[in-house]
Amino acid sequence: MTTPVYENFINGHFLKNQTGDTFAVKNPATDEVIYHVEIADEFIQNAAIESAKQGFAAWSAMTPIERSRILLKAVAILRERNDELAKVEVLDTGKPWQEAECVDVETGADVIEYFAGLAPAQVGQQQMVGNDFYYTRKEPLGICAGIGAWNYPLQIACWKSGPALAAGNAVIFKPSEETPLGAIKLAEIFIEAGVPAGVFNVVQGAAEVGQWLTANPNIEKVSFTGEVGTGKKVMASAAGSLKDVTMELGGKSPLLVFDDADVSQAVSAAMLGNFYTQGEICTNCTRIYVHKNVYQQFIDELKTRTEQNIIAGDPMDPEVNLGALISKKHQELVLGYIDKGIQEGATLLTGGKALSPASAPNGYFVEPTVFVDCKDDMTIVKEEIFGPVMSVLVFDDEDDVIQRANDTHLGLAAGVFTKDIQLAHRVIHQLQAGICWINSYGNSPAEMPVGGYKQSGIGRENGIETLDHYTQTKSIYVGMSNIESPF
Ligand code: NDP
């Protein structure tokens, strides 16, 4: 059976490349090639820039309310096609249908809707300076590049295009080579909604295509989601033409469970923050610090629920709540970390092996894994694993646990479980992380800015402030009297 071949999406339509080079995309749950995608060669790259220039001219000339109306149509189409799009995400990523069906499209649509609503409300300022005055305009940047990771492909494309388009920019988006289809679907939806051709373009390929985007002088900004190491390369390359950057990078986030916490709720949060999307979430609380007084109760319940309530298998089965990891290579990487955890002296509470469920025997599954007896200097406690691997540590002193939680170069997220509101806020205020939760974990509504401290990122996505990251301020001074000049 021949599989479909997707071309790059440029200037409102699919465009064939000249080299004929393609790459294959596999379903992580079956190890089968499901389609091929053409790589953006030089011809496509040049066409993408020309297309985005024209798209920008048309789109930025429209009023914010006209843009808003069109983006809201795209939101409606995204919601209408929820199931079709969710299926694309399941087949590309290996994540469970029960997640994609209610999260991936929905949270993407929410963000476009949010920024579509905000766009007409963006205003400049004016101020009198004697008899003269100045005013400011919030102008779009021009062509923005978006580079996405593979864990939430459609959501990432929406989170980057929502504010960029609402502010009047054009976008060239490169999805991860592992998950290229969601962005194409979004591009088609934008056209159907009435976004002018050239405003949202999708170029396909691996690192080389990303590198071309980050180096291209016609592009004003790069919004990147991916690993810390790649983020550094992207930023260094973007510096060559002094591009603005937004960096959404990795994490190794702590969750602190105090001895007055509702332990069952804390276990729920720990499981959500380690096993949802089979652990492939940047904000995951992979370091769980539990107060010694509730430690035994916590790990007993955690073990029981992990062993009884997790169902791995064909991700399209609505009962399945643990999907396949993105690739064989990534599965091996995660298993390698588990081996390292054992070698370095951590104790496996549960899990630890590859899985071959009957309904998806060839998928890249890893058992939900919990390590106890962990020490702060173990590799599994220090490095981002990006799989279903949780490390549990014990503490008995507030200041000490804050210091341990902050002892990392990463600072994406953090959480606290306690019923003492003063303790909760006191601790959260001292944690070095950009996204924090109290008695909750993982919720990320469109209204809430998200982004990292330290090496977990630069800039924010979502929330009002993000619109500012996609505009530049022009100040205009108006003279109201004759110029005084010595010449
Ligand atoms: P990578 O850094 O490997 O890749 C991210 C994107 O960058 C991909 O599209 C990739 O292309 C591209 N790329 C790779 N090299 C370069 C380069 N030199 N220049 C420009 N682009 C390049 O990340 P993953 O896809 O493996 O995603 C997992 C990582 O993403 C984790 O660290 C996770 O924490 C982080 N992440 C952060 C989020 C946040 O909001 N903070 C959210 C989601 C994930 P290709 O893959 O095609 O090679």
Side-chain angles (χ1 to χ4, degrees):
M1 199 180 81
T2 55
T3 59
V5 180
Y6 290 96
E7 296 167 356
N8 292 267
F9 196 94
I10 308 291
N11 203 23
H13 54 82
F14 287 102
L15 185 64
K16 202 160 183 42
N17 69 7
Q18 286 185 341
T19 58
D21 291 341
T22 61
F23 61 91
V25 177
K26 282 184 169 182
N27 176 346
T30 62
D31 190 41
E32 283 166 359
V33 172
I34 44 178
Y35 58 92
H36 288 80
V37 177
E38 287 195 357
I39 295 171
D41 57 9
E42 205 181 328
F43 166 72
I44 295 289
Q45 294 173 2
N46 292 335
I49 296 291
E50 279 318 303
S51 157
K53 279 183 183 169
Q54 286 171 27
F56 176 67
W59 187 237
S60 59
M62 291 167 83
T63 65
I65 210 148
E66 284 170 328
R67 291 198 294 264
S68 173
R69 225 173 271 140
I70 293 170
L71 290 174
L72 289 174
K73 259 189 215 157
V75 170
I77 302 171
L78 278 163
R79 296 224 166 94
E80 270 161 37
R81 307 233 175 110
N82 181 75
D83 287 8
E84 176 203 325
L85 297 165
K87 187 172 174 196
V88 166
E89 297 300 81
V90 172
L91 298 183
D92 269 11
T93 63
K95 69 172 65 187
W97 165 260
Q98 61 165 247
E99 293 182 14
E101 187 259 342
C102 63
V103 172
D104 290 56
V105 189
E106 193 60 37
T107 54
D110 282 355
V111 166
I112 299 178
E113 188 171 34
Y114 175 76
F115 285 108
L118 275 185
Q122 229 195 359
V123 289
Q125 58 185 17
Q126 72 81 28
Q127 190 175 13
M128 298 305 297
V129 188
N131 288 329
D132 295 352
F133 70 97
Y134 77 88
Y135 65 95
T136 62
R137 282 163 55 85
K138 289 282 188 187
E139 296 187 348
L141 302 172
I143 306 174
C144 299
I147 301 179
W150 41 255
N151 58 343
Y152 279 81
L154 178 68
Q155 187 212 60
I156 291 173
C158 291
W159 284 22
K160 295 197 186 303
S161 59
L165 265 49
N169 300 283
V171 168
I172 303 178
F173 187 80
K174 189 199 92 64
S176 166
E177 209 187 8
E178 318 268 10
T179 55
L181 193 47
I184 298 178
K185 295 284 171 194
L186 179 64
E188 290 179 313
I189 287 171
F190 279 142
I191 292 295
E192 201 179 322
V195 174
V199 174
F200 185 77
N201 307 275
V202 181
V203 292
Q204 304 280 8
E208 313 80 68
V209 177
Q211 281 159 359
W212 161 72
L213 280 171
T214 59
N216 192 290
N218 295 292
I219 293 172
E220 302 295 338
K221 175 185 173 88
V222 181
S223 177
F224 172 80
T225 298
E227 290 173 10
V228 175
T230 320
K232 288 177 185 173
K233 288 184 202 157
V234 165
M235 207 168 152
S237 169
S241 45
L242 278 181
K243 291 185 195 355
D244 189 6
V245 291
T246 297
M247 294 275 149
E248 294 292 338
L249 310 176
K252 190 74 194 173
S253 302
L255 175 68
L256 279 48
V257 181
F258 284 87
D259 59 354
D260 66 338
D262 180 326
V263 171
S264 291
Q265 288 285 304
V267 170
S268 296
M271 290 179 71
L272 271 172
N274 279 275
F275 304 144
Y276 205 71
T277 315
Q278 54 285 333
E280 295 167 330
I281 297 188
C282 52
T283 49
N284 271 358
C285 46
T286 46
R287 294 183 290 143
I288 312 274
Y289 291 90
V290 185
H291 193 279
K292 69 175 185 352
N293 295 348
V294 288
Y295 178 75
Q296 198 57 47
Q297 185 190 349
F298 181 91
I299 62 169
D300 288 347
E301 182 171 339
L302 176 62
K303 180 172 161 60
T304 307
R305 287 173 59 182
T306 302
E307 287 173 358
Q308 290 178 359
N309 299 349
I310 292 186
I311 306 167
D314 174 3
M316 284 305 293
D317 175 348
E319 296 298 312
V320 163
N321 58 17
L322 187 87
L325 296 183
I326 190 69
S327 63
K328 184 90 193 143
K329 191 171 151 216
H330 190 57
Q331 182 196 35
E332 283 163 4
L333 187 91
V334 171
L335 291 170
Y337 272 112
I338 293 173
D339 283 346
K340 201 138 205 177
I342 296 166
Q343 279 165 29
E344 292 180 7
T347 306
L348 261 181
L349 181 73
T350 185
K353 297 192 292 297
L355 262 176
S356 184
S359 59
N362 300 322
Y364 319 127
F365 294 84
V366 170
E367 285 181 326
T369 299
V370 180
F371 277 108
V372 292
D373 301 326
C374 298
K375 302 274 176 295
D376 292 321
D377 61 355
M378 288 176 174
T379 308
I380 53 166
V381 179
K382 290 170 79 130
E383 294 184 12
E384 184 182 47
I385 300 174
F386 224 56
V389 184
M390 181 192 313
S391 296
V392 186
L393 304 103
V394 197
F395 77 93
D396 65 0
D397 177 75
E398 180 185 324
D399 290 338
D400 182 53
V401 76
I402 291 169
Q403 185 271 319
R404 290 168 69 194
N406 287 336
D407 187 18
T408 162
H409 65 286
L410 300 172
L412 190 57
V416 171
F417 267 78
T418 172
K419 291 185 187 132
D420 177 340
I421 55 164
Q422 291 180 337
L423 172 74
H425 292 287
R426 183 170 70 235
V427 171
I428 279 288
H429 293 176
Q430 294 175 77
L431 292 177
Q432 296 161 351
I435 313 167
C436 294
W437 290 280
I438 295 174
N439 295 334
S440 177
Y441 208 88
N443 291 339
S444 196
E447 299 89 331
M448 185 172 95
V450 288
Y453 278 19
K454 301 197 258 188
Q455 292 189 28
S456 286
I458 293 177
R460 291 293 175 269
E461 290 194 316
N462 302 346
I464 291 179
E465 67 188 84
T466 294
L467 212 48
D468 285 337
H469 296 308
Y470 283 95
T471 54
Q472 50 196 342
T473 302
K474 178 177 280 174
S475 297
I476 300 145
Y477 187 97
V478 182
M480 297 294 288
S481 34
N482 289 336
I483 295 174
E484 284 177 25
S485 169
F487 308 113

